[in-house]
Amino acid sequence: LRVEALQELQQVDSPQQLNDLRVKYLGKKGALTEILRGMGSLSAEERPVIGQVGNEVRAAIEEVIETKQAAFQQAETANRLRAETIDVTLPGKKQAPGAVHPLNKVAQEIEDVFIGLGYTIAEGPEVESDFYNFEALNLPKDHPARDMQDSFYVTDDILMRTHTSPVQVRTMKAMNGKTPVKVICPGKVYRRDDDDATHSFQFNQIEGLVIGPNIRMSDLKGTLLQFVQLMFGKQTEIRLRPSFFPFTEPSAEVDVTCVQCGGHGCRMCKHTGWLEILGCGMVHPRVLEMGGYDPNEVSGFAFGMGVERIALLKYGIDDIRHFYTNDLRFLSQFVRM
Ligand code: PHE
């Protein structure tokens, strides 16, 4: 049995075969096990002799099996190491890093400035009712200023909002007459413009609204100065020019000293030294009223700016369409900015 077993074991060439042989000789019904089990019928003298021989045979077979098994394991490990070898000298695959879109980046910067000044963010729907977009902002149905903003109508009474100012009204109503109100409202707006270097049918605005007792024009001016200096640099100055919006009185347009030439005159500021960046004013008493506030008790200021315009100025970009055409040569310039 021993000779036969060892001979068979020598020829084994797979772990399965090895296991089969283990079962064949040493298993519960294995050949050696049978013999040892049959020892009960042997005489008292024979028993220890056969028992000893049996144990020797078992030990010999086990030893060979163990050696074989170790060899198989070693071979397998070697195989795996060979198969999983990594050539560290191969060139790596280049990963193109993504970038935040310049419009989102600028919007986030603007939001950060105002959050730092204690504002919270309010949002409203892009599909808006005539009431919020016009009526409640002191633009009655036949008001000529409605032409200022050619609109995309969904129905007679529903349109794509032409500015973020309706969020002023929604915020006032939601506040239920409480003060202080201190919000900015970022979002997309829509106008029936033909797209060109400075116009787009869809663009982004950020609205600001502050309401409280004794809010004055000087608060507005101070806030905007603070904003532009954080946005464009400490040396930036502003000037307010009288203007008109139906929802503010008085109204103003705000210019900053040209971020490109510092106010000395260049192509970007058409040699005036100034760049227009936003519209603003003191909230019109009728707008306060329609929003649920008593204009004799509180006052407020509001402003609205175009994100595209701020981004154009900040980065010296000459065509708004760069923002929408997804040309990687343009976008990838903002990866590390
Ligand atoms: N809504 C105005 C516009 O779109 C901007 C503005 C907002 C002006 C708030 C005054 C106050 O042009």
Side-chain angles (χ1 to χ4, degrees), residues 149 162-163 165 168 191 205 207 245 247-248 279-281 302-304:
Q149 299 170 358
T162 59
H163 50 183
S165 300
Q168 284 189 35
R191 291 184 196 175
Q205 282 191 334
E207 191 88 6
F245 300 101
F247 31 91
T248 47
C280 65
F303 56 84

